[in-house]
Amino acid sequence: MIRILLAAVLVVEALGCGTPTYVPILSRVVGGSEARAHSWPWQASLQYQSGSSWYHTCGGTLIASGWVMTAAHCIGSRVYRVQLGKHNLAVSESGQKTVNAAKIIVHPKWNANLLSQGNDIALIKLAESVSLSNTIQPNCIPPAGAILSHNTACYVTGWGRLQTGGASPNQLQQGPLLVVDYATCSRSDWWGSTVKTNMVCAGGDGIISSCNGDSGGPLNCKNSSGKWEVHGVVSFGSSLGCNYYKKPSVFSRVSAFNSWISETIAAN
């Protein structure tokens, strides 16, 4: 009965997923660009508390009114909260919502000492469900087992650094990335055996990639009906730099974890 009810909830919410009120301006600017405000309304900022202040540490994706998906490596022993409906992290904005993390569940096979093993995914149960609005909307989960074809055009979003060693922007950024299929990304002159089939590679042109602070955020790709889906969770990049040739950003492949996502939500 729990699974039936959960499926009903997800179906209801999916009717409004992946369709932002403010349509993204999908420019192909080299190096990425500032996003149109609230055009990625599922984008979350995961923040930790230090003293009386809160600091952005990772991105995340709202996938249901009470759940945010992020990367397992973003989670530690700190106290966390999530901000939704944000564009500029430095100011208070109309339509934003700040919610404490009631519970955080990392994938049971995640091993912080074996990042290349994959399973770098976690779910955050919010202390309260958020009301969906023009600025806060869920993204769609792709069908189980879905594999993006080589050179599929997607977008990575986040408040991460614009370049290695650079400062993190306050405004949400977006960058176009082309998917690199597993056959290519697992070649010895690319990522080799470091990349597993439960991952997605995108980028590697030496120009655009995710960077520090983008971890946990979404790889946004449109499906055939025009809705956005979160196909990846930012996991890792090259130690040689954020924008390194033949070292694309690597994401946890969301479609490899559909069962775990639905079962975790049902059990919590």
Side-chain angles (χ1 to χ4, degrees):
M1 177 61 72
I2 290 177
R3 290 195 177 186
I4 293 174
L5 291 174
L6 172 65
V9 170
L10 292 180
V11 167
V12 169
E13 293 196 339
L15 293 176
C17 71
T19 53
T21 301
Y22 304 103
V23 178
I25 300 173
L26 302 179
S27 60
R28 302 291 294 181
V29 177
V30 173
S33 61
E34 181 178 341
R36 179 185 184 187
H38 310 303
S39 59
W40 307 99
W42 42 80
Q43 178 75 45
S45 168
L46 178 63
Q47 302 173 358
Y48 68 90
Q49 186 176 29
S50 180
S52 60
S53 299
W54 293 88
Y55 299 93
H56 171 83
T57 182
C58 281
T61 305
L62 184 72
I63 57 171
S65 58
W67 291 87
V68 166
M69 180 171 63
T70 189
H73 80 261
C74 291
I75 306 303
S77 58
R78 292 165 163 163
V79 175
Y80 294 97
R81 73 178 189 183
V82 170
Q83 281 201 321
L84 297 160
K86 292 296 296 178
H87 177 67
N88 189 332
L89 294 180
V91 299
S92 178
E93 298 171 301
S94 175
Q96 74 174 52
K97 180 73 174 179
T98 303
V99 191
N100 291 330
K103 192 173 186 178
I104 302 178
I105 305 103
V106 300
H107 194 279
K109 293 185 178 180
W110 161 248
N111 186 334
N113 297 316
L114 291 173
L115 181 62
S116 63
Q117 180 177 298
N119 307 306
D120 188 9
I121 189 170
L123 292 173
I124 302 170
K125 182 180 182 181
L126 304 179
E128 59 181 289
S129 294
V130 296
S131 297
L132 304 184
S133 65
N134 289 342
T135 59
I136 300 175
Q137 298 167 23
N139 203 353
C140 300
I141 297 292
I147 303 292
L148 296 169
S149 59
H150 190 65
N151 282 335
T152 296
C154 299
Y155 275 77
V156 64
T157 51
W159 290 278
R161 294 175 179 175
L162 300 180
Q163 59 185 7
T164 305
S168 297
N170 291 322
Q171 295 82 14
L172 183 67
Q173 304 291 307
Q174 64 182 38
L177 293 179
L178 296 180
V179 169
V180 179
D181 63 16
Y182 176 75
T184 301
C185 199
S186 60
R187 282 169 34 183
S188 59
D189 55 334
W190 286 67
W191 273 110
S193 61
T194 299
V195 169
K196 305 299 188 291
T197 55
N198 62 1
M199 302 175 186
V200 178
C201 299
D205 58 5
I207 300 174
I208 300 175
S209 74
S210 57
C211 201
N212 306 84
D214 287 328
S215 288
L219 179 67
N220 306 284
C221 312
K222 272 191 175 182
N223 63 23
S224 58
S225 66
K227 286 189 175 185
W228 291 98
E229 295 175 336
V230 51
H231 273 265
V233 175
V234 178
S235 182
F236 64 88
S238 174
S239 61
L240 300 172
C242 292
N243 306 321
Y244 205 80
Y245 184 57
K246 289 190 176 182
K247 288 294 181 287
S249 301
V250 181
F251 304 77
S252 298
R253 179 168 63 82
V254 174
S255 65
F257 299 98
N258 289 53
S259 294
W260 177 75
I261 291 170
S262 60
E263 289 169 4
T264 299
I265 293 176
N268 292 278

